[in-house]
Amino acid sequence: EAQVTQNPRYLITVTGKKLTVTCSQNMNHEYMSWYRQDPGLGLRQIYYSMNVEVTDKGDVPEGYKVSRKEKRNFPLILESPSPNQTSLYFCASSLGLAGVNEQFFGPGTRLTVL
Amino acid sequence: AQKVTQAQTEISVVEKEDVTLDCVYETRDTTYYLFWYKQPPSGELVFLIRRNSFDEQNEISGRYSWNFQKSTSSFNFTITASQVVDSAVYFCALSDKRSNDYKLSFGAGTTVTVRA
């Protein structure tokens, strides 16, 4: 089954404790993205990757890191989480550019930073 | 800068009613793409449709239809004979050639509640 998986689905942590949210896709997609969803703001792109070892900032990259060492995986890293990073996070993948192609989204990760 | 406005925050209808979701966009570019995504209560976003700026043809897919009007910069979405399963948050999104790598800009979303 074609899918994007994210783990964990729910996470409660404390300020400053490093965390990683994993994302994996099995569709051999070139392009992957991370978004955060906040009430009244829709989805905003954090980082994206057009291929292995190619990543770039989205609209709200501050406080986040990503890596793309393998085509299928695109982890999101919060080195020192803060309460303003409490949000719902989505990983997505697509054959090509997200603004041109259909994106496939993961189930979401609800993060709470205390 | 590109921008997407979904003026309706929430819409509540009774089953079998039609519901139209408005989407107004802003872009200076002549080449752009418009999307609708659905987010059901389960949370995972699902692609519904993509339309490019050179194709103003309206689209119908079952009970769903989309009306693209460049003259009013709108890409409205209508659900005909709504069902409870249509209850979801619906997002309109835009990307244009001027934005780096055709990045998507999402609207704030419209929450649709269909009551039995």
Side-chain angles (χ1 to χ4, degrees), chain A residues 37 45 48 90 99-100 103, chain B residues 37 39 50 95 101-103:
Chain A
Q37 181 180 358
Q45 192 180 49
Y48 64 97
F90 287 98
V100 178
Q103 286 188 96
Chain B
Y37 282 88
Q39 185 178 37
R50 179 194 72 178
S95 70
D101 297 329
Y102 277 98
K103 285 188 291 185

Side-chain angles (χ1 to χ4, degrees), chain A residues 62-112:
Chain A
E62 295 76 22
Y64 304 95
K65 283 177 58 176
V66 294
S67 68
R68 187 96 181 269
K69 293 185 171 60
E70 304 165 285
K71 197 172 188 179
R72 62 185 293 125
N73 297 324
F74 190 45
L76 178 70
I77 304 156
L78 284 72
E79 295 268 359
S80 183
S82 62
N84 64 12
Q85 292 178 299
T86 292
S87 187
L88 179 58
Y89 291 87
F90 287 98
C91 180
S93 73
S94 52
L95 275 173
L97 296 174
V100 178
N101 296 275
E102 172 185 358
Q103 286 188 96
F104 294 80
F105 284 81
T109 295
R110 187 166 291 281
L111 172 65
T112 302

Side-chain angles (χ1 to χ4, degrees), chain A residues 1-4 25-30 72 93 95 104:
Chain A
E1 179 190 356
Q3 60 182 354
V4 178
Q25 50 95 5
N26 63 0
M27 294 167 279
N28 202 36
H29 284 168
E30 302 279 334
R72 62 185 293 125
S93 73
L95 275 173
F104 294 80

Side-chain angles (χ1 to χ4, degrees), chain A residues 4-39:
Chain A
V4 178
T5 57
Q6 292 178 230
N7 282 292
R9 294 289 312 278
Y10 302 90
L11 180 59
I12 300 175
T13 189
V14 295
T15 299
K17 187 176 182 182
K18 180 179 179 179
L19 67 92
T20 299
V21 184
T22 64
C23 172
S24 182
Q25 50 95 5
N26 63 0
M27 294 167 279
N28 202 36
H29 284 168
E30 302 279 334
Y31 194 104
M32 297 185 74
S33 290
W34 275 103
Y35 294 90
R36 60 178 290 172
Q37 181 180 358
D38 300 290

